[in-house]
Coordinates of all heavy atoms in Angstrom, one line a residue:
M1 N 47.0 58.6 52.4 CA 46.6 58.6 53.8 C 47.8 58.8 54.7 O 48.7 58.0 54.6 CB 45.8 57.3 54.1 CG 45.2 57.3 55.5 SD 44.6 55.8 56.0 CE 43.8 55.0 54.6
K2 N 47.7 59.8 55.6 CA 48.9 59.9 56.5 C 48.8 59.0 57.7 O 47.6 58.6 58.1 CB 49.0 61.4 56.9 CG 47.8 61.9 57.7 CD 48.1 63.4 58.0 CE 47.3 64.0 59.0 NZ 46.0 64.2 59.3
D3 N 49.9 58.6 58.2 CA 50.0 57.8 59.4 C 49.3 56.5 59.2 O 48.4 56.1 60.1 CB 49.3 58.6 60.6 CG 49.9 58.1 62.0 OD1 50.9 57.5 62.0 OD2 49.3 58.4 63.0
S4 N 49.5 55.9 58.1 CA 48.7 54.6 57.8 C 49.0 53.5 58.7 O 48.2 52.6 58.8 CB 49.1 54.3 56.3 OG 50.4 54.0 56.2
A5 N 50.1 53.5 59.4 CA 50.4 52.4 60.3 C 49.3 52.2 61.4 O 49.1 51.1 61.8 CB 51.8 52.7 61.1
H6 N 48.6 53.3 61.8 CA 47.6 53.2 62.7 C 46.3 52.7 62.1 O 45.3 52.4 62.9 CB 47.3 54.5 63.5 CG 48.5 54.9 64.3 ND1 48.9 54.2 65.4 CD2 49.4 55.9 64.1 CE1 49.9 54.8 65.9 NE2 50.3 55.8 65.2
H7 N 46.2 52.5 60.8 CA 44.9 52.1 60.2 C 45.0 50.8 59.6 O 44.1 50.4 58.9 CB 44.6 53.2 59.1 CG 44.4 54.6 59.7 ND1 43.3 54.9 60.5 CD2 45.2 55.6 59.7 CE1 43.4 56.1 60.9 NE2 44.6 56.6 60.4
R8 N 46.1 50.1 59.8 CA 46.3 48.8 59.2 C 45.7 47.6 60.0 O 45.8 47.6 61.2 CB 47.8 48.5 59.0 CG 48.2 47.6 57.9 CD 49.7 47.4 57.7 NE 50.4 48.7 57.6 CZ 51.4 49.0 58.3 NH1 51.9 48.2 59.2 NH2 52.0 50.2 58.1
A9 N 45.1 46.7 59.3 CA 44.6 45.5 60.0 C 45.7 44.7 60.6 O 46.8 44.5 60.0 CB 43.8 44.7 59.1
R10 N 45.5 44.2 61.8 CA 46.6 43.5 62.5 C 46.4 42.0 62.4 O 47.2 41.2 62.7 CB 46.6 43.9 64.0 CG 47.0 45.4 64.2 CD 47.1 45.7 65.6 NE 48.2 45.1 66.2 CZ 48.4 45.0 67.6 NH1 47.5 45.5 68.4 NH2 49.4 44.3 68.0
F11 N 45.2 41.6 61.9 CA 44.9 40.1 61.7 C 43.8 40.0 60.7 O 43.0 41.0 60.5 CB 44.6 39.5 63.0 CG 43.4 40.2 63.7 CD1 42.1 39.7 63.5 CD2 43.7 41.2 64.6 CE1 41.0 40.4 64.2 CE2 42.6 41.8 65.3 CZ 41.3 41.5 65.1
P12 N 43.6 38.8 60.1 CA 42.4 38.6 59.2 C 41.2 38.4 60.1 O 41.3 37.6 61.1 CB 42.8 37.4 58.4 CG 43.8 36.7 59.2 CD 44.5 37.7 60.1
M13 N 40.0 38.9 59.7 CA 38.8 38.7 60.5 C 38.0 37.6 60.0 O 37.1 37.1 60.6 CB 38.0 40.0 60.5 CG 38.5 41.1 61.3 SD 37.2 42.4 61.6 CE 37.0 43.0 59.9
G14 N 38.2 37.1 58.7 CA 37.4 36.0 58.2 C 36.0 36.6 57.9 O 35.9 37.8 57.6
T15 N 35.0 35.7 57.9 CA 33.6 36.1 57.7 C 33.2 36.9 58.9 O 33.5 36.6 60.0 CB 32.8 34.9 57.5 OG1 33.3 34.1 56.5 CG2 31.3 35.2 57.2
T16 N 32.4 38.0 58.7 CA 31.8 38.7 59.8 C 30.3 38.4 60.0 O 29.6 38.2 59.0 CB 32.1 40.2 59.7 OG1 31.5 40.7 58.5 CG2 33.5 40.6 59.7
A17 N 29.9 38.4 61.2 CA 28.6 38.1 61.6 C 28.2 39.0 62.8 O 29.0 39.5 63.5 CB 28.4 36.6 62.0
I18 N 26.9 39.2 62.9 CA 26.3 40.0 64.1 C 25.1 39.3 64.6 O 24.2 38.9 63.8 CB 26.1 41.4 63.7 CG1 25.7 42.3 64.9 CG2 25.1 41.6 62.5 CD1 25.8 43.8 64.6
T19 N 24.9 39.2 65.9 CA 23.7 38.7 66.4 C 22.6 39.7 66.3 O 22.8 40.9 66.3 CB 23.9 38.2 67.9 OG1 24.1 39.4 68.7 CG2 25.0 37.2 68.1
P20 N 21.3 39.2 66.2 CA 20.2 40.2 66.1 C 20.2 41.2 67.3 O 19.9 42.3 67.1 CB 19.0 39.2 66.2 CG 19.4 37.9 65.6 CD 20.9 37.8 66.1
A21 N 20.5 40.7 68.5 CA 20.5 41.6 69.7 C 21.5 42.7 69.5 O 21.2 43.9 69.8 CB 20.6 40.9 70.9
A22 N 22.7 42.4 69.1 CA 23.8 43.4 68.9 C 23.4 44.3 67.8 O 23.6 45.5 67.9 CB 25.1 42.6 68.6
Q23 N 22.8 43.8 66.7 CA 22.4 44.6 65.6 C 21.4 45.7 66.1 O 21.5 46.9 65.8 CB 21.8 43.7 64.5 CG 21.2 44.5 63.3 CD 22.2 44.7 62.2 OE1 22.9 43.8 61.8 NE2 22.3 45.9 61.7
A24 N 20.4 45.2 66.8 CA 19.4 46.1 67.3 C 20.0 47.2 68.3 O 19.6 48.4 68.2 CB 18.3 45.3 68.1
M25 N 20.9 46.8 69.1 CA 21.5 47.8 70.0 C 22.3 48.8 69.2 O 22.2 50.0 69.6 CB 22.5 47.1 71.0 CG 23.1 48.1 72.0 SD 24.4 47.4 73.0 CE 23.4 46.5 74.2
L26 N 23.1 48.4 68.3 CA 23.9 49.4 67.5 C 22.9 50.3 66.7 O 23.2 51.5 66.6 CB 24.9 48.6 66.6 CG 26.0 47.9 67.3 CD1 26.9 47.2 66.4 CD2 26.8 48.9 68.2
E27 N 21.9 49.7 66.1 CA 20.9 50.5 65.3 C 20.3 51.6 66.2 O 20.2 52.8 65.8 CB 19.9 49.7 64.6 CG 20.4 49.0 63.4 CD 19.3 48.0 62.8 OE1 18.2 48.0 63.2 OE2 19.7 47.3 61.8
Q28 N 19.9 51.2 67.4 CA 19.2 52.1 68.3 C 20.2 53.2 68.7 O 19.8 54.3 68.9 CB 18.7 51.3 69.6 CG 17.9 52.1 70.5 CD 17.4 51.3 71.6 OE1 17.5 50.1 71.7 NE2 16.8 52.0 72.6
A29 N 21.5 52.8 68.9 CA 22.5 53.9 69.3 C 23.0 54.7 68.1 O 23.7 55.6 68.3 CB 23.7 53.2 70.0
G30 N 22.6 54.3 66.9 CA 23.0 55.0 65.7 C 24.5 54.8 65.3 O 25.2 55.6 64.8
L31 N 25.0 53.6 65.7 CA 26.4 53.2 65.5 C 26.5 52.2 64.4 O 25.7 51.2 64.3 CB 27.1 52.7 66.8 CG 27.3 53.7 67.9 CD1 27.8 53.0 69.1 CD2 28.3 54.8 67.4
S32 N 27.6 52.3 63.6 CA 27.8 51.3 62.5 C 28.6 50.1 63.1 O 29.7 50.4 63.7 CB 28.6 52.0 61.4 OG 29.2 51.1 60.6
P33 N 28.2 48.9 62.7 CA 29.0 47.7 63.1 C 30.4 47.8 62.4 O 31.4 47.4 63.0 CB 28.2 46.5 62.6 CG 26.9 47.0 62.2 CD 26.9 48.5 62.1
V34 N 30.5 48.4 61.2 CA 31.7 48.5 60.5 C 32.7 49.3 61.3 O 34.0 49.0 61.3 CB 31.5 49.1 59.1 CG1 32.8 49.3 58.4 CG2 30.6 48.1 58.3
A35 N 32.3 50.4 61.9 CA 33.2 51.2 62.7 C 33.8 50.4 63.9 O 35.0 50.6 64.2 CB 32.5 52.5 63.3
L36 N 33.0 49.6 64.5 CA 33.6 48.7 65.6 C 34.5 47.7 65.1 O 35.5 47.4 65.7 CB 32.4 48.1 66.4 CG 31.5 49.1 67.2 CD1 30.4 48.4 68.0 CD2 32.4 50.0 68.2
L37 N 34.1 47.1 64.0 CA 35.0 46.1 63.4 C 36.4 46.7 63.0 O 37.4 46.1 63.2 CB 34.4 45.4 62.1 CG 33.2 44.5 62.4 CD1 32.5 44.2 61.1 CD2 33.7 43.2 63.1
D38 N 36.3 48.0 62.6 CA 37.5 48.6 62.2 C 38.4 48.8 63.4 O 39.6 48.6 63.4 CB 37.2 50.0 61.6 CG 38.5 50.7 61.0 OD1 39.2 50.1 60.2 OD2 38.7 51.8 61.4
R39 N 37.8 49.2 64.5 CA 38.6 49.4 65.8 C 39.2 48.0 66.2 O 40.3 47.9 66.6 CB 37.7 49.9 66.9 CG 37.3 51.4 66.8 CD 36.4 51.9 67.8 NE 37.0 51.8 69.1 CZ 36.4 52.0 70.3 NH1 35.1 52.3 70.3 NH2 37.0 51.9 71.5
H40 N 38.4 47.0 66.2 CA 38.8 45.7 66.6 C 40.0 45.2 65.8 O 41.0 44.7 66.3 CB 37.6 44.7 66.4 CG 37.9 43.3 66.7 ND1 38.1 42.8 68.0 CD2 37.9 42.2 65.9 CE1 38.3 41.5 68.0 NE2 38.2 41.1 66.7
V41 N 39.9 45.3 64.4 CA 41.0 44.7 63.6 C 42.3 45.5 63.7 O 43.3 45.0 63.4 CB 40.5 44.6 62.1 CG1 40.5 45.9 61.4 CG2 41.3 43.6 61.3
R42 N 42.2 46.8 64.1 CA 43.4 47.6 64.3 C 44.0 47.4 65.7 O 45.0 48.0 66.0 CB 43.0 49.1 64.1 CG 42.8 49.4 62.6 CD 42.7 50.9 62.4 NE 41.4 51.4 62.9 CZ 41.2 52.2 63.9 NH1 42.3 52.8 64.5 NH2 40.1 52.6 64.3
G43 N 43.3 46.5 66.5 CA 43.9 46.3 67.9 C 43.5 47.3 68.9 O 44.1 47.4 70.0
D44 N 42.4 48.0 68.6 CA 41.8 48.9 69.6 C 40.7 48.0 70.3 O 39.6 47.8 69.8 CB 41.1 50.1 69.0 CG 40.2 50.9 70.0 OD1 40.1 50.5 71.1 OD2 39.7 51.9 69.5
W45 N 41.1 47.4 71.5 CA 40.3 46.4 72.1 C 39.2 46.9 72.9 O 38.5 46.2 73.6 CB 41.2 45.5 73.0 CG 42.5 45.0 72.3 CD1 43.8 45.2 72.7 CD2 42.5 44.2 71.1 NE1 44.6 44.5 71.9 CE2 43.9 43.9 70.9 CE3 41.6 43.6 70.2 CZ2 44.4 43.2 69.8 CZ3 42.0 42.9 69.2 CH2 43.4 42.7 68.9
G46 N 39.1 48.3 72.9 CA 38.0 48.9 73.7 C 38.2 48.9 75.2 O 39.4 49.1 75.6
E47 N 37.1 48.7 75.9 CA 37.2 48.8 77.4 C 37.5 47.4 78.0 O 36.7 46.7 78.5 CB 35.9 49.3 78.0 CG 35.6 50.8 77.6 CD 35.2 51.0 76.2 OE1 34.6 50.2 75.6 OE2 35.5 52.1 75.7
L48 N 38.8 47.0 77.9 CA 39.2 45.7 78.5 C 40.2 46.0 79.7 O 40.9 47.0 79.6 CB 39.9 44.9 77.5 CG 39.2 44.2 76.4 CD1 40.1 43.3 75.5 CD2 38.0 43.3 77.0
E49 N 40.2 45.1 80.6 CA 41.2 45.2 81.7 C 42.6 45.0 81.1 O 42.8 44.3 80.1 CB 41.0 44.0 82.7 CG 39.6 44.1 83.4 CD 39.5 45.3 84.3 OE1 40.5 45.6 85.0 OE2 38.4 46.0 84.3
P50 N 43.6 45.5 81.7 CA 45.0 45.3 81.2 C 45.4 43.9 81.0 O 46.1 43.6 80.0 CB 45.9 45.9 82.3 CG 45.0 47.0 83.0 CD 43.6 46.4 82.9
A51 N 45.0 43.0 81.8 CA 45.3 41.5 81.6 C 44.7 41.0 80.4 O 45.3 40.2 79.6 CB 44.8 40.7 82.8
D52 N 43.4 41.4 80.1 CA 42.7 41.0 78.8 C 43.4 41.6 77.6 O 43.5 40.9 76.6 CB 41.2 41.3 78.9 CG 40.5 40.5 79.9 OD1 40.8 39.3 80.1 OD2 39.6 41.0 80.6
R53 N 43.8 42.8 77.7 CA 44.6 43.5 76.6 C 45.9 42.7 76.3 O 46.2 42.4 75.2 CB 45.0 44.9 77.0 CG 43.8 45.9 77.0 CD 44.3 47.3 77.4 NE 43.2 48.1 77.4 CZ 42.6 48.6 76.2 NH1 43.1 48.4 75.1 NH2 41.5 49.4 76.3
A54 N 46.6 42.3 77.4 CA 47.8 41.5 77.2 C 47.5 40.2 76.6 O 48.3 39.7 75.7 CB 48.5 41.4 78.6
R55 N 46.4 39.5 77.0 CA 46.0 38.3 76.5 C 45.7 38.4 74.9 O 46.1 37.5 74.2 CB 44.7 37.7 77.2 CG 44.4 36.3 77.0 CD 43.3 35.8 77.9 NE 43.8 35.9 79.3 CZ 43.1 36.6 80.3 NH1 42.1 37.3 80.0 NH2 43.6 36.5 81.5
N56 N 45.1 39.4 74.5 CA 44.9 39.7 73.1 C 46.2 39.9 72.3 O 46.4 39.3 71.3 CB 44.0 40.9 72.8 CG 42.5 40.6 72.9 OD1 42.1 39.5 73.0 ND2 41.7 41.7 72.9
E57 N 47.1 40.7 72.9 CA 48.4 40.9 72.2 C 49.1 39.5 72.0 O 49.7 39.3 71.0 CB 49.2 41.9 73.0 CG 48.7 43.3 73.0 CD 48.5 43.9 71.6 OE1 49.4 43.7 70.7 OE2 47.5 44.6 71.3
L58 N 49.1 38.7 73.1 CA 49.7 37.4 73.0 C 49.0 36.5 72.0 O 49.6 35.8 71.2 CB 49.7 36.7 74.4 CG 50.5 35.4 74.5 CD1 51.9 35.7 74.3 CD2 50.3 34.9 76.0
A59 N 47.6 36.6 71.9 CA 46.8 35.8 71.0 C 47.2 36.2 69.6 O 47.1 35.3 68.7 CB 45.3 36.0 71.3
L60 N 47.5 37.4 69.3 CA 47.9 37.8 68.0 C 49.2 37.0 67.5 O 49.3 36.6 66.4 CB 48.3 39.3 67.9 CG 47.1 40.3 67.8 CD1 47.6 41.7 68.0 CD2 46.3 40.1 66.6
L61 N 50.1 36.7 68.4 CA 51.3 36.0 68.1 C 51.1 34.5 68.2 O 51.7 33.8 67.4 CB 52.4 36.4 69.2 CG 52.8 37.8 69.3 CD1 53.7 38.1 70.5 CD2 53.4 38.3 68.0
S62 N 50.2 34.0 69.0 CA 50.1 32.6 69.2 C 48.9 32.0 68.5 O 48.6 30.8 68.6 CB 50.0 32.3 70.7 OG 48.9 32.9 71.3
G63 N 48.1 32.8 67.8 CA 46.9 32.3 67.1 C 45.8 31.9 68.0 O 45.1 30.9 67.7
K64 N 45.5 32.6 69.0 CA 44.4 32.3 69.9 C 43.2 33.3 69.6 O 43.3 34.2 68.8 CB 44.8 32.5 71.4 CG 45.9 31.6 71.9 CD 45.4 30.2 72.2 CE 46.4 29.4 73.1 NZ 47.7 29.2 72.5
R65 N 42.1 33.0 70.3 CA 40.9 33.8 70.1 C 41.1 35.3 70.5 O 41.9 35.5 71.5 CB 39.7 33.2 70.9 CG 38.4 33.8 70.6 CD 37.4 33.2 71.5 NE 37.5 33.8 72.8 CZ 36.6 33.7 73.8 NH1 35.5 33.0 73.6 NH2 36.9 34.3 74.9
L66 N 40.5 36.3 69.9 CA 40.6 37.7 70.2 C 39.3 38.2 70.6 O 38.2 37.9 70.0 CB 41.1 38.5 69.0 CG 42.5 38.1 68.4 CD1 42.7 38.6 67.0 CD2 43.6 38.7 69.4
L67 N 39.3 39.1 71.7 CA 38.1 39.6 72.2 C 38.2 41.1 72.4 O 39.2 41.6 73.0 CB 37.7 39.0 73.6 CG 36.6 39.7 74.4 CD1 35.3 39.5 73.8 CD2 36.7 39.3 75.8
S68 N 37.3 41.9 71.8 CA 37.2 43.3 72.1 C 35.8 43.6 72.9 O 34.9 42.8 72.7 CB 37.2 44.2 70.9 OG 38.5 44.1 70.2
S69 N 35.8 44.6 73.7 CA 34.6 45.0 74.4 C 34.4 46.5 74.3 O 35.3 47.3 74.6 CB 34.7 44.6 75.9 OG 33.6 44.9 76.6
Y70 N 33.2 46.9 73.8 CA 33.0 48.3 73.6 C 31.7 48.7 74.3 O 30.7 48.0 74.2 CB 32.8 48.6 72.1 CG 34.0 48.2 71.3 CD1 34.0 47.1 70.5 CD2 35.2 48.9 71.4 CE1 35.1 46.7 69.7 CE2 36.3 48.5 70.6 CZ 36.3 47.4 69.8 OH 37.3 47.0 69.1
V71 N 31.8 49.8 75.1 CA 30.6 50.3 75.8 C 29.9 51.2 74.8 O 30.4 52.1 74.2 CB 31.0 51.1 77.1 CG1 29.8 51.8 77.7 CG2 31.7 50.2 78.1
I72 N 28.6 50.9 74.6 CA 27.7 51.7 73.8 C 26.9 52.6 74.7 O 26.1 52.1 75.5 CB 26.7 50.7 73.0 CG1 27.5 49.6 72.2 CG2 25.9 51.6 72.0 CD1 28.6 50.1 71.3
P73 N 27.2 53.9 74.6 CA 26.6 54.9 75.5 C 25.0 54.7 75.5 O 24.3 54.7 74.5 CB 26.9 56.2 74.9 CG 28.2 56.0 74.1 CD 28.0 54.6 73.6
G74 N 24.5 54.6 76.8 CA 23.1 54.5 77.0 C 22.5 53.1 76.7 O 21.3 52.9 76.8
S75 N 23.3 52.2 76.2 CA 22.8 50.9 75.8 C 23.3 49.7 76.5 O 22.6 48.7 76.8 CB 23.0 50.7 74.3 OG 22.4 51.8 73.6
G76 N 24.6 49.7 76.7 CA 25.3 48.5 77.3 C 26.6 48.2 76.6 O 27.3 49.1 76.1
T77 N 27.0 47.0 76.5 CA 28.2 46.5 76.0 C 28.1 45.6 74.9 O 27.2 44.7 74.8 CB 29.1 45.8 77.2 OG1 29.3 46.8 78.2 CG2 30.4 45.3 76.7
V78 N 29.0 45.8 73.9 CA 29.0 44.9 72.7 C 30.4 44.2 72.7 O 31.4 44.9 73.0 CB 28.8 45.7 71.4 CG1 29.2 44.8 70.2 CG2 27.4 46.2 71.3
W79 N 30.5 43.0 72.5 CA 31.7 42.2 72.3 C 31.9 41.9 70.8 O 31.0 41.7 70.1 CB 31.7 40.9 73.0 CG 31.8 41.0 74.5 CD1 32.1 42.1 75.3 CD2 31.7 39.9 75.4 NE1 32.1 41.7 76.6 CE2 31.9 40.4 76.7 CE3 31.5 38.5 75.3 CZ2 31.9 39.6 77.9 CZ3 31.4 37.7 76.4 CH2 31.6 38.2 77.7
I80 N 33.2 41.9 70.5 CA 33.6 41.3 69.2 C 34.6 40.2 69.4 O 35.6 40.5 70.1 CB 34.2 42.4 68.2 CG1 33.1 43.6 68.0 CG2 34.6 41.8 66.9 CD1 33.6 44.7 67.1
I81 N 34.3 39.1 68.8 CA 35.1 37.9 69.0 C 35.6 37.4 67.7 O 34.8 37.1 66.8 CB 34.4 36.8 69.8 CG1 34.1 37.2 71.2 CG2 35.3 35.5 69.8 CD1 33.3 36.2 72.0
T82 N 36.9 37.3 67.5 CA 37.5 36.7 66.3 C 38.0 35.3 66.8 O 38.8 35.2 67.7 CB 38.6 37.5 65.7 OG1 38.1 38.7 65.3 CG2 39.2 36.7 64.5
E83 N 37.5 34.2 66.1 CA 37.9 32.9 66.5 C 39.4 32.7 66.3 O 40.1 33.3 65.5 CB 37.1 31.8 65.8 CG 35.6 31.9 66.1 CD 35.3 31.8 67.6 OE1 36.0 31.1 68.3 OE2 34.3 32.4 68.0
A84 N 40.0 31.6 67.0 CA 41.4 31.4 66.9 C 41.9 31.1 65.5 O 43.0 31.5 65.1 CB 41.7 30.2 67.8
D85 N 41.1 30.4 64.6 CA 41.5 30.1 63.3 C 41.3 31.3 62.3 O 41.6 31.2 61.1 CB 40.9 28.9 62.8 CG 39.3 29.0 62.6 OD1 38.8 30.1 62.8 OD2 38.7 28.0 62.2
R86 N 40.8 32.4 62.9 CA 40.5 33.7 62.1 C 39.5 33.5 61.0 O 39.5 34.2 60.0 CB 41.8 34.3 61.5 CG 42.9 34.5 62.6 CD 42.6 35.5 63.5 NE 43.7 35.8 64.5 CZ 43.8 35.4 65.7 NH1 42.8 34.7 66.3 NH2 44.9 35.6 66.5
S87 N 38.6 32.4 61.1 CA 37.6 32.2 60.0 C 36.4 33.0 60.2 O 35.8 33.3 59.2 CB 37.3 30.7 60.1 OG 36.6 30.4 61.3
I88 N 36.1 33.5 61.4 CA 34.9 34.3 61.6 C 35.1 35.3 62.8 O 35.8 35.0 63.7 CB 33.7 33.4 61.9 CG1 32.4 34.2 61.9 CG2 33.8 32.5 63.1 CD1 31.1 33.4 61.8
T89 N 34.5 36.4 62.6 CA 34.5 37.5 63.6 C 33.0 37.8 63.9 O 32.3 38.1 62.9 CB 35.2 38.7 63.2 OG1 36.6 38.4 63.0 CG2 35.1 39.8 64.2
T90 N 32.6 37.7 65.1 CA 31.2 37.9 65.5 C 31.0 39.1 66.4 O 31.7 39.2 67.4 CB 30.6 36.7 66.2 OG1 30.8 35.5 65.3 CG2 29.1 36.8 66.4
I91 N 30.0 40.0 66.1 CA 29.6 41.0 67.0 C 28.4 40.5 67.8 O 27.5 40.0 67.2 CB 29.2 42.3 66.2 CG1 30.3 42.8 65.3 CG2 28.8 43.4 67.2 CD1 29.9 43.9 64.4
L92 N 28.5 40.6 69.1 CA 27.5 40.0 70.0 C 27.4 40.8 71.3 O 28.3 41.5 71.6 CB 27.7 38.6 70.2 CG 29.0 38.2 71.1 CD1 28.8 36.8 71.7 CD2 30.2 38.2 70.2
L93 N 26.3 40.5 72.0 CA 26.2 41.0 73.4 C 26.7 40.0 74.3 O 26.7 38.8 74.0 CB 24.7 41.3 73.7 CG 24.0 42.3 72.8 CD1 22.6 42.6 73.3 CD2 24.7 43.6 72.6
P94 N 27.2 40.4 75.5 CA 27.8 39.4 76.4 C 26.7 38.3 76.7 O 27.1 37.2 76.8 CB 28.1 40.2 77.6 CG 28.5 41.6 77.1 CD 27.5 41.8 75.9
E95 N 25.5 38.7 76.8 CA 24.4 37.7 77.1 C 24.1 36.8 75.9 O 23.5 35.8 76.1 CB 23.1 38.4 77.6 CG 22.6 39.5 76.8 CD 23.1 40.9 77.2 OE1 24.3 41.0 77.7 OE2 22.4 41.8 76.9
D96 N 24.6 37.1 74.7 CA 24.4 36.2 73.6 C 25.5 35.1 73.6 O 25.3 34.1 72.9 CB 24.7 37.0 72.2 CG 23.6 38.0 71.9 OD1 22.5 37.8 72.4 OD2 23.9 38.9 71.2
Y97 N 26.5 35.3 74.4 CA 27.7 34.4 74.4 C 27.3 33.0 74.9 O 26.8 32.6 75.8 CB 28.9 35.0 75.1 CG 30.1 34.2 75.0 CD1 30.8 34.1 73.8 CD2 30.6 33.5 76.1 CE1 31.9 33.4 73.7 CE2 31.8 32.7 76.0 CZ 32.4 32.6 74.8 OH 33.6 31.9 74.7

């Protein structure tokens, strides 16, 4: 695989979970949760403000919670949250939070 540095996980995700509402949104949009998890674990935080991106980069070093936000065309927004202890990563809708 060429350019493997861009495909490497930047942190452990632990167990992965998805809320029923997020699952339904992704299915309706024809998107795979795995594709979004792959973006998240590589540090592609999606559509976040610069301050939130900086917070994630700091969280990688300090062991805090990580948040990605992805806009699903025609559907809304999906969040992915990896807990501070890296034991679980959840795909959810903002209203599920």
Side-chain angles (χ1 to χ4, degrees):
M1 185 188 324
K2 62 183 198 296
D3 207 17
S4 62
H6 292 292
H7 301 286
R8 207 176 309 129
R10 297 185 65 197
F11 56 91
M13 287 194 295
T15 304
T16 56
I18 186 167
T19 64
Q23 176 90 45
M25 180 187 285
L26 292 179
E27 281 176 8
Q28 187 177 352
L31 290 173
S32 164
V34 174
L36 292 181
L37 288 169
D38 186 54
R39 288 177 64 186
H40 176 69
V41 78
R42 287 186 288 115
D44 170 357
W45 311 122
E47 291 76 28
L48 286 183
E49 299 293 319
D52 291 324
R53 288 178 179 282
R55 197 169 292 123
N56 274 351
E57 293 300 323
L58 191 60
L60 283 172
L61 301 173
S62 61
K64 300 275 196 312
R65 192 183 74 164
L66 298 161
L67 167 72
S68 292
S69 178
Y70 305 104
V71 173
I72 308 304
S75 298
T77 298
V78 169
W79 284 356
I80 301 182
I81 295 174
T82 299
E83 296 304 330
D85 66 3
R86 309 292 185 255
S87 65
I88 188 166
T89 296
T90 306
I91 304 173
L92 66 158
L93 304 185
E95 52 267 31
D96 292 333
Y97 186 70

